[in-house]
Amino acid sequence: MFKRVIILLVLSSILLALVLVRNHTSAPVNDSISNNQVSSKYTTVEYKITKIKGNQYYGKSEDGTDIIFSSKNILSGEKIQIHEVVICYFDKNNLGNGLVKVEKK
């Protein structure tokens, strides 16, 4: 019986030490954390604006793919001109949702 109590105390102290070590470990603090969170939620593609017709924007990426989006997708409210580069965000978990938002680069 005495051996069981000693073994229980040793195992309990090891468990307590592991819990304390885990709680005192901190994550590094820098800008890459917020960027990783954004990139883990969205797939981003850069497009160069080739044409603007009304509230429709036409763009082309470096790999040759085209995109058309309306001004309602531009969340920043910035005025985008022809030949400027924009970043388009697509939902990584559900690409069927289409374009989520557009930001000027």
Side-chain angles (χ1 to χ4, degrees), residues 5-25:
V5 171
I6 292 177
I7 292 173
L8 180 64
L9 287 174
V10 169
L11 291 176
S12 297
S13 63
I14 291 172
L15 179 63
L16 180 65
L18 290 174
V19 168
L20 291 175
V21 168
R22 185 176 187 280
N23 286 340
H24 289 290
T25 306

Side-chain angles (χ1 to χ4, degrees), residues 14 20 25 31 44 56 71-72 74 78 80-81 97:
I14 291 172
L20 291 175
T25 306
D31 289 339
T44 59
Q56 297 292 316
S71 58
K72 70 177 183 174
I74 304 170
E78 293 183 42
I80 297 174
Q81 303 296 325
N97 279 346

Side-chain angles (χ1 to χ4, degrees), residues 30-91:
N30 57 21
D31 289 339
S32 66
I33 291 174
S34 61
N35 290 337
N36 286 339
Q37 290 172 348
V38 169
S39 66
S40 67
K41 190 173 180 181
Y42 299 111
T43 300
T44 59
V45 181
E46 291 184 9
Y47 291 94
K48 186 174 184 179
I49 300 300
T50 57
K51 182 169 110 176
I52 301 172
K53 187 175 182 182
N55 70 343
Q56 297 292 316
Y57 292 82
Y58 298 80
K60 188 171 218 119
S61 68
E62 287 183 4
D63 66 356
T65 57
D66 295 322
I67 190 168
I68 302 171
F69 60 91
S70 68
S71 58
K72 70 177 183 174
N73 294 107
I74 304 170
L75 297 182
S76 63
E78 293 183 42
K79 194 77 169 162
I80 297 174
Q81 303 296 325
I82 295 176
H83 303 297
E84 289 185 332
V85 177
V86 295
I87 302 171
C88 296
Y89 292 84
F90 300 92
D91 189 358

